[in-house]
Amino acid sequence: MPVNHYEVKNSYVKDIFKLDTPNTTYCIGIVDEGYVGHIYYGKKIEDPGIEHILRIDEMPWVPSKNNRDKSSFLDSFPMEFPTHGIGDYREDCLSVESSGGNFAVGLIYDSYEIINGKNKISGLPSTFGSDKDVTSLVIHCIDEPLKLSIDLIYSVFEDLDVITRSVKVTNNSKDSVFLKKIYSACLDMDNDDFVAVTLHGSWARERHMVESEVNRARVSIDSTRGESSHQMNPFLMIKNADATDESGEVYAMNFVYSGNFHASVAEDQFGQIRMLMGINSEDFKWKLREGDTFEAPEVVMVYSSFGTGHMTRTFHDLYRKHLIRSPYKDKKRPILINNWEATYFDFNEEKLISIAREASKLGIEMLVMDDGWFGHREDDNTSLGDWIVNEEKLKGGLKYLADEVNKLGMKFGIWFEPEMVSPLSDLYREHPDWAIAIPGRVPTLSRNQYVLDITREEVRDYVYESVAKVLRSANIEYVKWDMNRQLSDIGSVSLPKERMGELFHRYVLGVYDLQERLISEFPNLLLENCSGGGARFDPGMLFYGPQIWCSDDTDAVERLIIQEGTALVYPLSSMGAHVSDCPNHTVGRVTPFETRGHVALAGTFGYELDVTKIPKEDKDMIPSQTKMYHKYNDLVREGDYYRVASYSKNGQYDCYGVVSKDKKEALYTYVQVMMRPNYHSRKIKFKGLDPKRNYKIEGEDRTYTGEILMNAGYLVKNMWGDFKSCLIHIMEAD
Ligand code: GLA
């Protein structure tokens, strides 16, 4: 059984809950006074007799024995879900504002339940699994004075080293209470020389890996922007300072949520650390009337004693099998060509059809019409909200265009930015109060647009219907759902003042509701999420669409760093990656067309250029690139990802690979970012192969054992020039 309960006799610890995954164990202890303590998370152990780890014998202040310094106990005891204002001065997970205006809340064990499978979290995305895949533990707790019931929910995956956590709070009192803060997960343990790894960035520079020492200065990441953000991803990992890709302990948390978040880790006065993750409490306040329940989003926790590589592959497997629902999740995605970098706003139906005609001859399978097809949108100053086809631009209308594209044997896709409104739009003229704003304050513009108040049902209905109407009008098989600005000036005319602190979270629930409606009505739609590039690259969005546009930066070299950070957590099958034209529109760099193709192969693969205009030698390469995609995509999409070398660390070259689950095939990508004069070839030690197997490398006659390729290495010849790349395709020898 993955979840077990043990009663402990003659001990301060009364109950132990032991949660086991294939390689890990998590232990919770209920103590005399009913506090829910965290005993252990780490390598798998069989024996549940580990209550000594709670250090009770060292504590002079255990309340049931000596209550004179209860706060000293509370301020050091490892808690599963620390609460505010009762004497634990470390960062906590839950605080309230009671009807009396007080902030304190406690959490005392009441009972437990073990459930086969996993319950849904209402209105929110979450991982899923059958009764065989997952077992859940619910620890029911109460705060007696406030009459709150607080459920700590843990789900344990049978085949993966994953434990998910979420929390549910119900108000059983006649008086309303406000939640001022509710995080979803906490992890208390000793500091074992940990460094934190987080994913930081900006527009066009998303998810660069950053390491920070874990000590008394808090490592804290967050978003207050209403989306998960370009700047910080809702992912926090700590690892031993000497951990590598294959060795050392790693603890990671990833938030299945697409809005404001907070995660942190800091050491306390006793050298213990506390790692937390949840909805950001800034600008958050949620009213619970009698009988109301609040469900906090899910945190996915992964522990690996085999270094970061195992953590990464665990996340990839979990998200591919137990989070992404799209019918495309195990399928090749059509190779698309998107007209954004090809034309920006300057296109008409003829231009698009000419791109499609040329593209169809080269093996490209879908045309995606990006921004600029609706209202009067000739630049980014107008028309968001008016989702009516501009028939002056697209003569014959959308159906004609989609049909013409279909006649070429290609699918047709379209861009939307449903959550937004331009001040210059019919929608805004008619409903100025539909934009998020504060009465009496002119809201801040961003990209000359406002955010629609999709916390309101009538606004959501309008948004949904205007998108769905377009989709019903033609054969549209793909949608790129964009979101190009962050939220500000938080105010809604429909929320009473005591509920204004609910707006940020209600906004995210609104996004999820819209996307759920979309995929329910159009179940075969390929949905790619996007937010000014990759500002909403999070597990929440993967519940609705199988892929997310990784970054507006399509430069092959920049992408090495962005894709490395992204692939640390998210599967390659989810990373939107395209070959674009050079000089690159974001950085001006010129890289070989071949390298751009090799780098895009690590993601969903597509094109973002004017195929009627690019140099002939580049265009001539497209048929072989599209073949390359078909040859390798099953492997890239479904295989195990291994990081061999990082350009972000060595400044010279990058190497990563994907190995099939049966270890019979592997594909390694090597990018020589900088040429080294007068050096020997580069020795690369592959990872993930079967040491005992014999392998062949495509294009060579000899065979190698896996052991040789991984331990002695393989020699990659120097290539003439910078930004050169090659693929190394390894297959089991007969
Ligand atoms: C965002 C997206 C781009 C493109 C533009 C259109 O920036 O990331 O790919 O769709 O919007 O305005």
Side-chain angles (χ1 to χ4, degrees):
M1 275 290 286
V3 177
N4 285 290
H5 169 246
Y6 302 89
E7 268 177 40
V8 191
K9 297 263 177 313
N10 304 322
S11 163
Y12 174 66
V13 180
K14 299 289 169 219
D15 302 85
I16 287 184
F17 295 100
K18 188 164 169 289
L19 281 46
D20 293 306
T21 73
N23 301 291
T24 76
T25 293
Y26 189 103
C27 280
I28 300 162
I30 311 295
V31 302
D32 237 357
E33 305 84 2
Y35 294 116
V36 185
H38 176 71
I39 308 183
Y40 176 78
Y41 189 26
K43 263 191 202 172
K44 187 157 187 166
I45 48 175
E46 296 302 329
D47 183 359
I50 55 165
E51 63 273 16
H52 64 284
I53 295 300
L54 283 176
R55 292 198 170 91
I56 295 305
D57 295 343
E58 296 168 33
M59 280 189 197
W61 313 286
V62 171
S64 56
K65 296 184 188 142
N66 176 4
N67 199 31
R68 73 177 295 276
D69 268 317
K70 189 169 173 181
S71 86
S72 300
F73 167 81
L74 291 171
D75 204 22
S76 66
F77 186 71
M79 291 284 184
E80 274 301 317
F81 200 69
T83 58
H84 185 77
I86 53 165
D88 179 349
Y89 297 97
R90 297 164 289 179
E91 194 176 358
D92 55 67
C93 285
L94 184 68
S95 75
V96 300
E97 192 179 310
S98 70
S99 55
N102 308 103
F103 310 125
V105 55
L107 182 143
I108 296 297
Y109 174 75
D110 184 48
S111 58
Y112 76 95
E113 257 176 281
I114 295 175
I115 299 168
N116 289 331
K118 190 170 185 289
N119 292 336
K120 288 195 176 120
I121 309 181
S122 35
L124 286 168
S126 59
T127 57
F128 52 80
S130 69
D131 288 5
K132 277 208 206 110
D133 300 327
V134 200
T135 309
S136 300
L137 167 70
V138 184
I139 302 187
H140 300 292
C141 304
I142 47 168
D143 176 288
E144 188 49 51
L146 292 173
K147 306 232 172 314
L148 291 182
S149 62
I150 304 153
D151 288 350
L152 307 182
I153 304 156
Y154 302 77
S155 294
V156 185
F157 280 79
E158 187 94 359
D159 298 335
L160 290 167
D161 289 323
V162 172
I163 296 174
T164 64
R165 290 189 60 173
S166 63
V167 180
K168 207 169 163 175
V169 177
T170 303
N171 180 14
N172 302 312
S173 148
K174 293 227 161 347
D175 296 325
S176 293
V177 65
F178 292 93
L179 296 178
K180 283 183 62 201
K181 180 206 267 185
I182 176 160
Y183 293 165
S184 300
C186 171
L187 210 45
D188 277 359
M189 61 189 140
D190 290 357
N191 189 358
D192 207 356
D193 198 14
F194 286 123
V195 290
V197 179
T198 45
L199 300 172
H200 293 255
S202 181
W203 172 77
R205 213 171 357 94
E206 295 90 339
R207 290 173 297 286
H208 286 215
M209 286 162 64
V210 174
E211 289 195 5
S212 323
E213 199 183 322
V214 176
N215 54 31
R216 283 177 201 174
R218 182 169 296 154
V219 177
S220 166
I221 53 165
D222 65 24
S223 165
T224 51
R225 297 166 186 267
E227 59 175 347
S228 40
S229 89
H230 293 101
Q231 288 72 16
M232 297 183 214
N233 195 260
F235 169 77
L236 174 61
M237 143 185 160
I238 56 169
K239 59 170 188 170
N240 307 135
D242 58 359
T244 66
D245 206 50
E246 287 101 34
S247 68
E249 290 197 292
V250 177
Y251 295 86
M253 288 184 180
N254 195 197
F255 203 23
V256 189
Y257 190 62
S258 312
N260 291 351
F261 73 93
H262 167 90
S264 71
V265 57
E267 191 183 272
D268 71 5
Q269 55 184 328
F270 305 111
Q272 306 175 117
I273 58 163
R274 174 167 283 178
M275 186 174 174
L276 303 150
M277 183 172 269
I279 293 180
N280 199 322
S281 58
E282 201 168 305
D283 297 338
F284 174 85
K285 193 174 169 187
W286 193 278
K287 184 174 181 181
L288 291 180
R289 291 163 310 178
E290 182 184 8
D292 284 354
T293 295
F294 184 88
E295 294 186 72
E298 179 170 78
V299 165
V300 175
M301 297 193 306
V302 174
Y303 165 79
S304 157
S305 58
F306 316 110
T308 36
H310 179 70
M311 175 212 71
T312 291
R313 289 184 287 280
T314 304
F315 275 114
H316 288 193
D317 284 344
L318 179 80
Y319 292 164
R320 288 183 296 198
K321 287 194 210 148
H322 300 287
L323 178 68
I324 299 172
R325 299 176 293 171
S326 162
Y328 274 100
K329 74 174 179 164
D330 301 320
K331 281 197 204 147
K332 274 188 205 153
R333 322 282 155 80
I335 301 175
L336 66 81
I337 184 159
N338 176 304
N339 73 307
W340 179 239
E341 288 195 24
T343 64
Y344 295 101
F345 294 97
D346 186 16
F347 63 86
N348 56 23
E349 85 292 348
E350 258 174 56
K351 178 73 215 169
L352 294 178
I353 293 168
S354 74
I355 291 178
R357 189 174 302 117
E358 217 44 48
S360 67
K361 295 180 200 153
L362 305 168
I364 297 174
E365 299 158 320
M366 176 162 73
L367 177 82
V368 174
M369 176 170 66
D370 211 281
D371 193 356
W373 55 267
F374 51 92
H376 306 287
R377 192 148 163 104
E378 299 299 340
D379 55 34
D380 59 10
N381 290 309
T382 84
S383 302
L384 292 170
D386 298 343
W387 300 106
I388 310 229
V389 180
N390 178 346
E391 295 211 11
E392 272 166 39
K393 215 167 174 175
L394 301 181
K395 301 232 162 53
L398 197 60
K399 180 157 174 14
Y400 167 75
L401 175 61
D403 288 349
E404 287 303 298
V405 172
N406 288 165
K407 277 186 209 155
L408 294 166
M410 292 175 85
K411 294 179 190 293
F412 179 72
I414 196 169
W415 177 97
F416 281 100
E417 199 179 353
E419 299 154 66
M420 298 292 153
V421 61
S422 305
L424 279 179
S425 65
D426 293 342
L427 181 66
Y428 191 73
R429 274 186 288 271
E430 221 175 296
H431 296 288
D433 66 320
W434 279 16
I436 289 179
I438 300 170
R441 178 181 296 279
V442 179
T444 302
L445 283 163
S446 180
R447 210 191 191 206
N448 214 353
Q449 64 199 53
Y450 295 133
V451 183
L452 283 172
D453 183 4
I454 55 168
T455 68
R456 293 167 64 178
E457 211 173 334
E458 70 273 32
V459 179
R460 277 204 308 281
D461 287 347
Y462 168 85
V463 167
Y464 181 71
E465 267 313 306
S466 51
V467 170
K469 207 164 144 194
V470 174
L471 297 183
R472 288 177 206 128
S473 73
N475 186 22
I476 299 171
E477 297 181 72
Y478 161 106
V479 162
K480 176 175 172 188
W481 180 303
D482 208 342
M483 191 255 192
N484 274 316
R485 68 155 289 179
Q486 302 137 1
L487 277 58
S488 68
D489 305 278
I490 292 306
S492 165
V493 292
S494 73
L495 287 175
K497 83 170 189 245
E498 82 272 16
R499 287 197 181 268
M500 214 53 85
E502 299 180 10
L503 196 149
F504 268 121
H505 182 57
R506 285 184 184 275
Y507 182 85
V508 181
L509 295 175
V511 174
Y512 293 151
D513 175 49
L514 285 170
Q515 296 218 340
E516 189 67 45
R517 288 196 213 178
L518 184 74
I519 58 172
S520 306
E521 182 176 346
F522 305 97
N524 295 319
L525 189 74
L526 175 54
L527 174 62
E528 175 156 358
N529 273 296
C530 171
S531 176
R536 217 153 51 176
F537 210 119
D538 58 64
M541 298 318 285
L542 289 178
F543 190 63
Y544 302 94
Q547 60 196 57
I548 303 174
W549 183 226
C550 212
S551 174
D552 278 346
D553 196 333
T554 50
D555 169 61
V557 177
E558 290 293 315
R559 274 294 181 120
L560 292 177
I561 305 174
I562 295 169
Q563 293 180 187
E564 177 185 13
T566 308
L568 182 70
V569 194
Y570 305 102
L572 304 188
S573 62
S574 68
M575 298 197 310
H578 298 167
V579 176
S580 64
D581 200 8
C582 276
N584 178 268
H585 293 196
T586 310
V587 295
R589 187 177 287 125
V590 176
T591 53
F593 200 76
E594 183 179 39
T595 302
R596 287 176 254 159
H598 287 165
V599 173
L601 188 67
T604 55
F605 197 78
Y607 292 86
E608 181 120 3
L609 41 73
D610 188 343
V611 76
T612 67
K613 284 193 182 147
I614 57 169
K616 182 172 179 318
E617 59 274 24
D618 289 354
K619 191 162 133 185
D620 287 349
M621 230 183 271
I622 294 180
S624 58
Q625 282 185 338
T626 53
K627 274 201 201 99
M628 166 184 83
Y629 167 81
H630 287 293
K631 179 170 173 189
Y632 295 124
N633 183 258
D634 286 347
L635 179 60
V636 170
R637 215 181 50 243
E638 288 168 7
D640 286 334
Y641 170 82
Y642 288 86
R643 175 55 55 178
V644 177
S646 300
Y647 161 64
S648 65
K649 297 202 181 88
N650 63 38
Q652 294 228 331
Y653 68 105
D654 213 58
C655 185
Y656 49 86
V658 191
V659 181
S660 63
K661 293 274 178 198
D662 61 9
K663 299 202 180 284
K664 288 187 176 171
E665 190 185 3
L667 180 73
Y668 280 87
T669 305
Y670 175 85
V671 182
Q672 173 188 290
V673 181
M674 304 285 282
M675 164 65 175
R676 305 181 302 168
N678 199 20
Y679 266 99
H680 298 304
S681 54
R682 181 86 62 185
K683 190 189 295 166
I684 293 289
K685 294 178 184 172
F686 294 127
K687 293 179 183 171
L689 302 173
D690 178 349
K692 300 247 172 334
R693 238 178 254 258
N694 288 322
Y695 290 103
K696 272 197 144 176
I697 294 189
E698 191 176 328
E700 293 184 17
D701 290 331
R702 62 158 296 186
T703 57
Y704 303 82
T705 56
E707 181 185 57
I708 296 282
L709 289 173
M710 292 196 292
N711 298 332
Y714 176 75
L715 301 177
V716 182
K717 289 197 183 61
N718 281 341
M719 293 171 271
W720 176 246
D722 293 341
F723 319 130
K724 292 292 165 63
S725 63
C726 61
L727 297 178
I728 302 144
H729 184 207
I730 303 176
M731 287 149 301
E732 186 182 43
D734 315 318

